[in-house]
Each structure stands twice: as C-alpha cells, then as structure tokens.
Amino acid sequence: MKIVGVTACTTGIAHTYMAQEAIEKECQKRGYEVIIETQGGMGIENELNEEEIASADAVILAISIGIEGDERFDEKREEGKVLTLDPSVVIKNVSNVIDQLENL
C-alpha cells in the first residue's frame, strides 16, 4: 500500500512533526510506502508532487489548519480515498488511523 499525506498544526511546530513521525513509523512497520509532506514552522517540507498523489492508494491529512495546495487532493476526495483528522488523533492512536486508511 502507498500512503501520502500532509501534516500541519496551528503553531506549526510540535504536532506537525510528531504526527509525521507517527505515520511514517506505523507505515514502515506494516511495510507500506509512505511520503508525508509537512507544512510547519519551517514552511513546506517534502512537498508532494502530482504523480505521488495520483499513485497513492490513500491520503491522510493530519491537519488542524488550512493547508497550501489543498486542491491537489480533490480527485482522491472524489474517490473516497482521503482521511482528514486532527494531528492529535493521529499521535494518540496511529495504528487505528492506518487501519482506517486501509478500509478506504
């Protein structure tokens, strides 16, 4: 399974990067390919391109604020392949979150 996503929190510091790390670790544990873009205090890092998004099986948006480039995920939304959650939910129970992505 290939998962892409974006993490972003209101302050752009802790939860943005904690959610990224949690998702990456859980996906690696399951043997999934994962690319997570962060939109935090240091700007956009690891920016997803159209090809990466198009080839993904599922998208996770662990965000508590509006993000730049949200429209990039419109096609995946239409397919029902986008899960949007607060970063704190991801941090607290990432295993359950990845289970939800598997069922999209």
Side-chain angles (χ1 to χ4, degrees), residues 1-102:
M1 186 168 191
K2 180 178 181 180
I3 296 171
V4 298
V6 178
T7 61
C9 68
T10 51
T11 58
I13 304 172
H15 285 97
T16 297
Y17 300 101
M18 290 168 65
Q20 173 199 19
E21 183 178 5
I23 295 164
E24 289 174 347
K25 283 185 176 181
E26 184 66 24
C27 287
Q28 289 168 356
K29 188 165 74 171
R30 296 181 188 214
Y32 295 161
E33 186 178 341
V34 62
I35 305 169
I36 301 297
E37 172 183 312
T38 57
Q39 293 193 16
M42 299 174 67
I44 296 175
E45 297 175 273
N46 204 27
E47 188 169 1
L48 294 166
N49 64 44
E50 288 181 31
E51 185 179 308
E52 290 166 332
I53 296 166
S55 67
D57 297 306
V59 175
I60 182 166
L61 300 178
I63 56 175
S64 56
I65 58 170
I67 58 169
E68 290 185 44
D70 185 63
E71 70 282 350
R72 297 175 291 170
F73 305 103
D74 287 349
E75 189 173 314
K76 289 293 183 185
R77 279 191 186 93
E78 291 171 13
E79 296 171 8
K81 298 293 184 184
V82 177
L83 180 62
T84 304
L85 300 163
D86 191 90
S88 63
V89 173
V90 174
I91 293 164
K92 289 177 188 167
N93 197 350
V94 69
S95 179
N96 183 51
V97 170
I98 302 304
D99 289 346
Q100 289 178 55
L101 281 174
E102 291 174 344

